């Protein structure tokens, strides 16, 4: 039981560390060139939407 709890705690800690690093890098890049970041983010979201639609079509 404690082994499972420690695994969960380690996982949560790892996710928090990765999130902090990603947030720091995102903020640094956003300050550098915000227009390009917004454009790339929009393209990435559109691509993910197309992938989700394709997968849902395949599963039907």
């Amino acid at each position: 039981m404690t082994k499972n709890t420690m695994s969960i705690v380690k996982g949560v800690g790892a996710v928090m560390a990765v999130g902090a690093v990603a947030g720091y890098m995102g903020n640094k890049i956003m300050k550098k060139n915000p227009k390009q970041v917004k454009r790339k983010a929009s393209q990435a979201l559109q691509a993910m939407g197309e992938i989700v639609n394709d997968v849902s079509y395949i599963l039907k």
Side-chain angles (χ1 to χ4, degrees):
M1 182 71 170
T2 57
K3 190 173 183 180
N4 290 338
T5 305
M6 287 307 295
S7 295
I8 292 171
V9 171
K10 287 179 185 177
V12 169
V15 167
M16 288 174 58
V18 169
V21 171
Y24 173 76
M25 293 305 292
N27 189 20
K28 194 171 184 176
I29 292 169
M30 189 68 173
K31 285 182 180 178
K32 197 173 191 178
N33 195 353
K35 280 188 176 181
Q36 184 179 12
V37 172
K38 288 179 183 177
R39 189 178 318 121
K40 293 287 185 182
S42 175
Q43 290 174 350
L45 285 174
Q46 186 177 10
M48 280 303 297
E50 290 175 5
I51 290 171
V52 168
N53 284 337
D54 291 344
V55 169
S56 66
Y57 179 74
I58 290 170
L59 294 176
K60 285 184 180 179

Short mmCIF file of all heavy atoms in Angstrom, two decimals:
data_model
loop_
_atom_site.label_atom_id
_atom_site.label_comp_id
_atom_site.label_asym_id
_atom_site.label_seq_id
_atom_site.Cartn_x
_atom_site.Cartn_y
_atom_site.Cartn_z
N MET A 1 0.82 -1.20 0.00
CA MET A 1 0.00 0.00 0.00
C MET A 1 0.87 1.26 0.00
O MET A 1 0.63 2.18 -0.76
CB MET A 1 -0.93 -0.03 1.21
CG MET A 1 -1.86 1.12 1.30
SD MET A 1 -3.12 1.00 0.03
CE MET A 1 -4.20 2.28 0.54
N THR A 2 1.90 1.28 0.87
CA THR A 2 2.76 2.47 0.91
C THR A 2 3.60 2.58 -0.35
O THR A 2 3.96 3.68 -0.75
CB THR A 2 3.68 2.43 2.14
OG1 THR A 2 4.46 1.23 2.09
CG2 THR A 2 2.88 2.48 3.42
N LYS A 3 3.90 1.45 -0.98
CA LYS A 3 4.68 1.48 -2.23
C LYS A 3 3.88 2.18 -3.33
O LYS A 3 4.42 2.98 -4.09
CB LYS A 3 5.04 0.06 -2.65
CG LYS A 3 6.04 0.00 -3.76
CD LYS A 3 6.48 -1.44 -4.02
CE LYS A 3 7.54 -1.47 -5.09
NZ LYS A 3 7.98 -2.82 -5.37
N ASN A 4 2.57 1.88 -3.41
CA ASN A 4 1.71 2.54 -4.39
C ASN A 4 1.61 4.03 -4.11
O ASN A 4 1.62 4.84 -5.02
CB ASN A 4 0.32 1.91 -4.39
CG ASN A 4 0.33 0.51 -4.97
OD1 ASN A 4 1.23 0.15 -5.71
ND2 ASN A 4 -0.66 -0.28 -4.60
N THR A 5 1.49 4.38 -2.83
CA THR A 5 1.37 5.79 -2.45
C THR A 5 2.63 6.55 -2.81
O THR A 5 2.57 7.66 -3.34
CB THR A 5 1.10 5.92 -0.94
OG1 THR A 5 -0.05 5.15 -0.61
CG2 THR A 5 0.89 7.35 -0.54
N MET A 6 3.78 5.96 -2.57
CA MET A 6 5.04 6.62 -2.91
C MET A 6 5.20 6.77 -4.42
O MET A 6 5.72 7.78 -4.90
CB MET A 6 6.23 5.85 -2.33
CG MET A 6 6.37 5.98 -0.83
SD MET A 6 6.41 7.71 -0.27
CE MET A 6 7.92 8.27 -0.99
N SER A 7 4.73 5.81 -5.19
CA SER A 7 4.78 5.92 -6.64
C SER A 7 3.92 7.08 -7.12
O SER A 7 4.33 7.83 -8.01
CB SER A 7 4.30 4.62 -7.29
OG SER A 7 5.18 3.57 -7.00
N ILE A 8 2.76 7.22 -6.53
CA ILE A 8 1.87 8.33 -6.90
C ILE A 8 2.51 9.66 -6.53
O ILE A 8 2.49 10.61 -7.33
CB ILE A 8 0.49 8.17 -6.21
CG1 ILE A 8 -0.24 6.97 -6.80
CG2 ILE A 8 -0.34 9.44 -6.36
CD1 ILE A 8 -1.50 6.59 -6.07
N VAL A 9 3.11 9.75 -5.35
CA VAL A 9 3.75 10.99 -4.91
C VAL A 9 4.91 11.34 -5.83
O VAL A 9 5.08 12.50 -6.22
CB VAL A 9 4.22 10.86 -3.44
CG1 VAL A 9 5.09 12.04 -3.04
CG2 VAL A 9 3.03 10.74 -2.51
N LYS A 10 5.71 10.36 -6.22
CA LYS A 10 6.82 10.60 -7.13
C LYS A 10 6.31 11.06 -8.49
O LYS A 10 6.88 11.96 -9.10
CB LYS A 10 7.66 9.34 -7.31
CG LYS A 10 8.50 9.00 -6.10
CD LYS A 10 9.29 7.73 -6.34
CE LYS A 10 10.05 7.29 -5.13
NZ LYS A 10 10.77 6.03 -5.35
N GLY A 11 5.25 10.46 -8.97
CA GLY A 11 4.66 10.85 -10.25
C GLY A 11 4.15 12.27 -10.23
O GLY A 11 4.37 13.05 -11.15
N VAL A 12 3.46 12.63 -9.15
CA VAL A 12 2.93 13.99 -9.02
C VAL A 12 4.09 14.99 -8.95
O VAL A 12 4.05 16.05 -9.58
CB VAL A 12 2.02 14.11 -7.78
CG1 VAL A 12 1.70 15.56 -7.47
CG2 VAL A 12 0.75 13.31 -7.99
N GLY A 13 5.14 14.64 -8.23
CA GLY A 13 6.31 15.52 -8.14
C GLY A 13 6.98 15.71 -9.49
O GLY A 13 7.37 16.83 -9.85
N ALA A 14 7.08 14.64 -10.26
CA ALA A 14 7.69 14.73 -11.59
C ALA A 14 6.85 15.61 -12.51
O ALA A 14 7.38 16.44 -13.26
CB ALA A 14 7.87 13.34 -12.19
N VAL A 15 5.53 15.44 -12.46
CA VAL A 15 4.64 16.25 -13.30
C VAL A 15 4.75 17.72 -12.91
O VAL A 15 4.77 18.60 -13.79
CB VAL A 15 3.19 15.75 -13.18
CG1 VAL A 15 2.22 16.73 -13.78
CG2 VAL A 15 3.06 14.39 -13.84
N MET A 16 4.83 18.01 -11.63
CA MET A 16 4.95 19.40 -11.19
C MET A 16 6.27 20.01 -11.66
O MET A 16 6.31 21.17 -12.10
CB MET A 16 4.83 19.48 -9.67
CG MET A 16 3.42 19.24 -9.16
SD MET A 16 3.28 19.16 -7.37
CE MET A 16 3.93 20.73 -6.87
N ALA A 17 7.36 19.24 -11.60
CA ALA A 17 8.66 19.74 -12.04
C ALA A 17 8.65 20.03 -13.54
O ALA A 17 9.12 21.07 -14.00
CB ALA A 17 9.75 18.74 -11.69
N VAL A 18 8.10 19.10 -14.32
CA VAL A 18 8.04 19.29 -15.77
C VAL A 18 7.14 20.48 -16.11
O VAL A 18 7.46 21.29 -16.99
CB VAL A 18 7.53 18.00 -16.46
CG1 VAL A 18 7.20 18.25 -17.92
CG2 VAL A 18 8.57 16.90 -16.34
N GLY A 19 6.05 20.63 -15.41
CA GLY A 19 5.15 21.77 -15.63
C GLY A 19 5.82 23.10 -15.32
O GLY A 19 5.65 24.07 -16.06
N ALA A 20 6.61 23.13 -14.26
CA ALA A 20 7.31 24.37 -13.90
C ALA A 20 8.33 24.74 -14.97
O ALA A 20 8.43 25.90 -15.37
CB ALA A 20 7.99 24.21 -12.54
N VAL A 21 9.08 23.76 -15.43
CA VAL A 21 10.08 24.02 -16.48
C VAL A 21 9.40 24.46 -17.77
O VAL A 21 9.83 25.41 -18.43
CB VAL A 21 10.97 22.77 -16.70
CG1 VAL A 21 11.85 22.95 -17.92
CG2 VAL A 21 11.81 22.50 -15.47
N ALA A 22 8.33 23.78 -18.14
CA ALA A 22 7.61 24.14 -19.37
C ALA A 22 7.03 25.55 -19.26
O ALA A 22 7.08 26.33 -20.23
CB ALA A 22 6.51 23.13 -19.65
N GLY A 23 6.49 25.90 -18.11
CA GLY A 23 5.96 27.24 -17.91
C GLY A 23 7.03 28.31 -17.99
O GLY A 23 6.84 29.36 -18.60
N TYR A 24 8.18 28.04 -17.40
CA TYR A 24 9.29 28.99 -17.45
C TYR A 24 9.77 29.20 -18.88
O TYR A 24 9.95 30.33 -19.33
CB TYR A 24 10.44 28.49 -16.57
CG TYR A 24 11.70 29.32 -16.70
CD1 TYR A 24 11.78 30.58 -16.09
CD2 TYR A 24 12.78 28.87 -17.44
CE1 TYR A 24 12.92 31.34 -16.22
CE2 TYR A 24 13.91 29.63 -17.58
CZ TYR A 24 13.99 30.87 -16.97
OH TYR A 24 15.12 31.63 -17.11
N MET A 25 9.97 28.10 -19.61
CA MET A 25 10.43 28.21 -20.99
C MET A 25 9.38 28.87 -21.87
O MET A 25 9.71 29.68 -22.74
CB MET A 25 10.80 26.83 -21.53
CG MET A 25 12.00 26.21 -20.85
SD MET A 25 13.47 27.24 -20.89
CE MET A 25 13.84 27.20 -22.63
N GLY A 26 8.12 28.54 -21.67
CA GLY A 26 7.05 29.16 -22.44
C GLY A 26 6.99 30.66 -22.22
O GLY A 26 6.82 31.44 -23.17
N ASN A 27 7.14 31.07 -20.98
CA ASN A 27 7.13 32.50 -20.65
C ASN A 27 8.31 33.21 -21.29
O ASN A 27 8.17 34.30 -21.84
CB ASN A 27 7.15 32.68 -19.13
CG ASN A 27 6.91 34.11 -18.73
OD1 ASN A 27 6.37 34.89 -19.49
ND2 ASN A 27 7.31 34.44 -17.52
N LYS A 28 9.48 32.58 -21.25
CA LYS A 28 10.68 33.17 -21.83
C LYS A 28 10.54 33.33 -23.35
O LYS A 28 10.88 34.37 -23.91
CB LYS A 28 11.87 32.28 -21.50
CG LYS A 28 13.20 32.91 -21.72
CD LYS A 28 14.30 32.04 -21.17
CE LYS A 28 15.63 32.72 -21.31
NZ LYS A 28 16.71 31.96 -20.72
N ILE A 29 10.01 32.31 -24.01
CA ILE A 29 9.82 32.35 -25.46
C ILE A 29 8.73 33.36 -25.81
O ILE A 29 8.84 34.09 -26.80
CB ILE A 29 9.49 30.96 -26.00
CG1 ILE A 29 10.70 30.05 -25.86
CG2 ILE A 29 9.04 31.01 -27.45
CD1 ILE A 29 10.42 28.59 -26.12
N MET A 30 7.68 33.42 -25.02
CA MET A 30 6.56 34.32 -25.29
C MET A 30 7.01 35.78 -25.24
O MET A 30 6.56 36.60 -26.04
CB MET A 30 5.44 34.07 -24.28
CG MET A 30 4.18 34.78 -24.59
SD MET A 30 3.43 34.13 -26.07
CE MET A 30 1.90 35.00 -26.04
N LYS A 31 7.90 36.11 -24.34
CA LYS A 31 8.40 37.47 -24.25
C LYS A 31 9.25 37.83 -25.46
O LYS A 31 9.31 38.99 -25.86
CB LYS A 31 9.22 37.66 -22.97
CG LYS A 31 8.37 37.74 -21.73
CD LYS A 31 9.22 37.97 -20.51
CE LYS A 31 8.37 38.05 -19.27
NZ LYS A 31 9.15 38.24 -18.06
N LYS A 32 9.90 36.84 -26.03
CA LYS A 32 10.81 37.08 -27.14
C LYS A 32 10.07 37.43 -28.43
O LYS A 32 10.41 38.40 -29.11
CB LYS A 32 11.68 35.83 -27.36
CG LYS A 32 12.91 36.04 -28.16
CD LYS A 32 13.75 34.78 -28.14
CE LYS A 32 15.12 35.04 -28.72
NZ LYS A 32 15.94 33.86 -28.67
N ASN A 33 9.05 36.64 -28.80
CA ASN A 33 8.34 36.86 -30.06
C ASN A 33 6.89 36.37 -29.92
O ASN A 33 6.57 35.27 -30.36
CB ASN A 33 9.06 36.15 -31.20
CG ASN A 33 8.59 36.62 -32.55
OD1 ASN A 33 7.65 37.40 -32.65
ND2 ASN A 33 9.25 36.15 -33.59
N PRO A 34 6.01 37.18 -29.35
CA PRO A 34 4.65 36.71 -29.06
C PRO A 34 3.80 36.39 -30.29
O PRO A 34 3.00 35.46 -30.27
CB PRO A 34 4.03 37.85 -28.26
CG PRO A 34 4.88 39.02 -28.48
CD PRO A 34 6.23 38.53 -28.87
N LYS A 35 3.97 37.12 -31.39
CA LYS A 35 3.15 36.86 -32.59
C LYS A 35 3.44 35.48 -33.15
O LYS A 35 2.53 34.74 -33.52
CB LYS A 35 3.41 37.92 -33.66
CG LYS A 35 2.67 39.20 -33.45
CD LYS A 35 2.83 40.10 -34.65
CE LYS A 35 2.01 41.35 -34.48
NZ LYS A 35 2.12 42.24 -35.63
N GLN A 36 4.72 35.13 -33.24
CA GLN A 36 5.08 33.83 -33.80
C GLN A 36 4.60 32.70 -32.89
O GLN A 36 4.12 31.68 -33.38
CB GLN A 36 6.59 33.74 -33.99
CG GLN A 36 7.03 32.45 -34.65
CD GLN A 36 8.52 32.37 -34.85
OE1 GLN A 36 9.27 33.18 -34.31
NE2 GLN A 36 8.98 31.41 -35.61
N VAL A 37 4.69 32.89 -31.59
CA VAL A 37 4.25 31.86 -30.64
C VAL A 37 2.74 31.64 -30.79
O VAL A 37 2.28 30.49 -30.82
CB VAL A 37 4.62 32.26 -29.20
CG1 VAL A 37 4.00 31.30 -28.21
CG2 VAL A 37 6.12 32.29 -29.03
N LYS A 38 1.99 32.72 -30.88
CA LYS A 38 0.54 32.59 -31.02
C LYS A 38 0.18 31.88 -32.33
O LYS A 38 -0.72 31.05 -32.37
CB LYS A 38 -0.13 33.96 -30.96
CG LYS A 38 -0.12 34.56 -29.58
CD LYS A 38 -0.76 35.94 -29.57
CE LYS A 38 -0.66 36.57 -28.19
NZ LYS A 38 -1.20 37.93 -28.18
N ARG A 39 0.89 32.22 -33.40
CA ARG A 39 0.62 31.59 -34.69
C ARG A 39 0.93 30.09 -34.64
O ARG A 39 0.15 29.27 -35.10
CB ARG A 39 1.46 32.27 -35.78
CG ARG A 39 1.10 31.85 -37.17
CD ARG A 39 1.90 32.58 -38.26
NE ARG A 39 2.06 34.00 -38.01
CZ ARG A 39 3.25 34.61 -37.88
NH1 ARG A 39 4.37 33.94 -38.00
NH2 ARG A 39 3.31 35.92 -37.66
N LYS A 40 2.07 29.75 -34.06
CA LYS A 40 2.46 28.34 -33.96
C LYS A 40 1.50 27.58 -33.06
O LYS A 40 1.14 26.43 -33.34
CB LYS A 40 3.89 28.20 -33.44
CG LYS A 40 4.94 28.72 -34.37
CD LYS A 40 5.13 27.80 -35.54
CE LYS A 40 6.27 28.27 -36.41
NZ LYS A 40 6.47 27.46 -37.58
N ALA A 41 1.06 28.19 -31.97
CA ALA A 41 0.11 27.54 -31.06
C ALA A 41 -1.22 27.30 -31.76
O ALA A 41 -1.83 26.23 -31.61
CB ALA A 41 -0.09 28.38 -29.81
N SER A 42 -1.65 28.26 -32.56
CA SER A 42 -2.90 28.10 -33.30
C SER A 42 -2.79 26.96 -34.31
O SER A 42 -3.70 26.14 -34.44
CB SER A 42 -3.23 29.41 -34.03
OG SER A 42 -4.35 29.25 -34.85
N GLN A 43 -1.66 26.88 -34.99
CA GLN A 43 -1.45 25.79 -35.95
C GLN A 43 -1.41 24.44 -35.24
O GLN A 43 -1.95 23.44 -35.74
CB GLN A 43 -0.15 26.01 -36.72
CG GLN A 43 -0.21 27.18 -37.69
CD GLN A 43 1.13 27.48 -38.34
OE1 GLN A 43 2.16 26.94 -37.94
NE2 GLN A 43 1.12 28.36 -39.32
N ALA A 44 -0.78 24.39 -34.08
CA ALA A 44 -0.69 23.13 -33.33
C ALA A 44 -2.07 22.68 -32.86
O ALA A 44 -2.41 21.49 -32.94
CB ALA A 44 0.25 23.29 -32.14
N LEU A 45 -2.89 23.62 -32.37
CA LEU A 45 -4.24 23.27 -31.94
C LEU A 45 -5.09 22.79 -33.11
O LEU A 45 -5.87 21.84 -32.97
CB LEU A 45 -4.91 24.47 -31.27
CG LEU A 45 -4.42 24.78 -29.86
CD1 LEU A 45 -5.04 26.07 -29.36
CD2 LEU A 45 -4.75 23.64 -28.92
N GLN A 46 -4.94 23.42 -34.25
CA GLN A 46 -5.68 23.00 -35.43
C GLN A 46 -5.27 21.59 -35.86
O GLN A 46 -6.11 20.75 -36.18
CB GLN A 46 -5.46 23.98 -36.57
CG GLN A 46 -6.31 23.70 -37.79
CD GLN A 46 -6.09 24.75 -38.88
OE1 GLN A 46 -5.20 25.57 -38.80
NE2 GLN A 46 -6.94 24.71 -39.88
N ALA A 47 -3.97 21.31 -35.82
CA ALA A 47 -3.48 19.98 -36.18
C ALA A 47 -4.00 18.92 -35.21
O ALA A 47 -4.41 17.83 -35.63
CB ALA A 47 -1.96 19.97 -36.20
N MET A 48 -4.02 19.24 -33.90
CA MET A 48 -4.54 18.29 -32.92
C MET A 48 -6.03 18.04 -33.14
O MET A 48 -6.49 16.91 -33.01
CB MET A 48 -4.31 18.81 -31.50
CG MET A 48 -2.90 18.60 -31.00
SD MET A 48 -2.38 16.89 -31.02
CE MET A 48 -3.52 16.17 -29.88
N GLY A 49 -6.77 19.07 -33.49
CA GLY A 49 -8.19 18.90 -33.78
C GLY A 49 -8.41 17.98 -34.97
O GLY A 49 -9.31 17.13 -34.95
N GLU A 50 -7.58 18.13 -35.99
CA GLU A 50 -7.69 17.26 -37.16
C GLU A 50 -7.35 15.81 -36.81
O GLU A 50 -8.02 14.88 -37.27
CB GLU A 50 -6.77 17.76 -38.27
CG GLU A 50 -7.23 19.07 -38.88
CD GLU A 50 -6.24 19.61 -39.90
OE1 GLU A 50 -5.24 18.93 -40.21
OE2 GLU A 50 -6.49 20.73 -40.39
N ILE A 51 -6.35 15.62 -35.97
CA ILE A 51 -5.97 14.26 -35.55
C ILE A 51 -7.11 13.62 -34.76
O ILE A 51 -7.45 12.46 -34.98
CB ILE A 51 -4.67 14.29 -34.73
CG1 ILE A 51 -3.48 14.64 -35.64
CG2 ILE A 51 -4.43 12.95 -34.03
CD1 ILE A 51 -2.20 14.90 -34.91
N VAL A 52 -7.71 14.38 -33.84
CA VAL A 52 -8.81 13.84 -33.05
C VAL A 52 -9.98 13.47 -33.95
O VAL A 52 -10.61 12.42 -33.78
CB VAL A 52 -9.24 14.85 -31.96
CG1 VAL A 52 -10.55 14.45 -31.32
CG2 VAL A 52 -8.15 15.00 -30.92
N ASN A 53 -10.28 14.31 -34.92
CA ASN A 53 -11.36 14.00 -35.86
C ASN A 53 -11.05 12.75 -36.67
O ASN A 53 -11.94 11.92 -36.90
CB ASN A 53 -11.61 15.18 -36.81
CG ASN A 53 -12.36 16.30 -36.14
OD1 ASN A 53 -13.06 16.09 -35.15
ND2 ASN A 53 -12.21 17.50 -36.67
N ASP A 54 -9.81 12.62 -37.11
CA ASP A 54 -9.42 11.44 -37.89
C ASP A 54 -9.54 10.16 -37.06
O ASP A 54 -10.04 9.14 -37.52
CB ASP A 54 -8.01 11.59 -38.43
CG ASP A 54 -7.90 12.66 -39.50
OD1 ASP A 54 -8.94 13.07 -40.03
OD2 ASP A 54 -6.76 13.09 -39.81
N VAL A 55 -9.08 10.24 -35.80
CA VAL A 55 -9.15 9.06 -34.94
C VAL A 55 -10.61 8.70 -34.66
O VAL A 55 -10.98 7.51 -34.69
CB VAL A 55 -8.38 9.31 -33.63
CG1 VAL A 55 -8.66 8.22 -32.61
CG2 VAL A 55 -6.89 9.40 -33.91
N SER A 56 -11.45 9.69 -34.40
CA SER A 56 -12.85 9.39 -34.14
C SER A 56 -13.52 8.80 -35.38
O SER A 56 -14.39 7.94 -35.28
CB SER A 56 -13.60 10.64 -33.67
OG SER A 56 -13.65 11.60 -34.70
N TYR A 57 -13.11 9.25 -36.55
CA TYR A 57 -13.65 8.70 -37.80
C TYR A 57 -13.22 7.24 -37.98
O TYR A 57 -14.00 6.39 -38.38
CB TYR A 57 -13.18 9.53 -39.00
CG TYR A 57 -13.66 9.01 -40.31
CD1 TYR A 57 -14.99 9.16 -40.71
CD2 TYR A 57 -12.80 8.33 -41.17
CE1 TYR A 57 -15.43 8.67 -41.92
CE2 TYR A 57 -13.23 7.84 -42.38
CZ TYR A 57 -14.55 8.01 -42.76
OH TYR A 57 -14.98 7.52 -43.94
N ILE A 58 -11.95 6.95 -37.64
CA ILE A 58 -11.43 5.59 -37.76
C ILE A 58 -12.16 4.64 -36.81
O ILE A 58 -12.46 3.50 -37.15
CB ILE A 58 -9.91 5.56 -37.49
CG1 ILE A 58 -9.18 6.26 -38.63
CG2 ILE A 58 -9.41 4.14 -37.31
CD1 ILE A 58 -7.71 6.49 -38.38
N LEU A 59 -12.48 5.12 -35.61
CA LEU A 59 -13.10 4.26 -34.60
C LEU A 59 -14.59 4.03 -34.86
O LEU A 59 -15.18 3.16 -34.22
CB LEU A 59 -12.89 4.87 -33.21
CG LEU A 59 -11.46 4.91 -32.73
CD1 LEU A 59 -11.37 5.61 -31.39
CD2 LEU A 59 -10.85 3.53 -32.65
N LYS A 60 -15.21 4.76 -35.77
CA LYS A 60 -16.63 4.58 -36.05
C LYS A 60 -16.88 3.34 -36.86
O LYS A 60 -16.19 2.76 -37.52
CB LYS A 60 -17.22 5.79 -36.77
CG LYS A 60 -17.40 6.95 -35.84
CD LYS A 60 -18.08 8.07 -36.58
CE LYS A 60 -18.26 9.25 -35.65
NZ LYS A 60 -18.88 10.37 -36.29
#
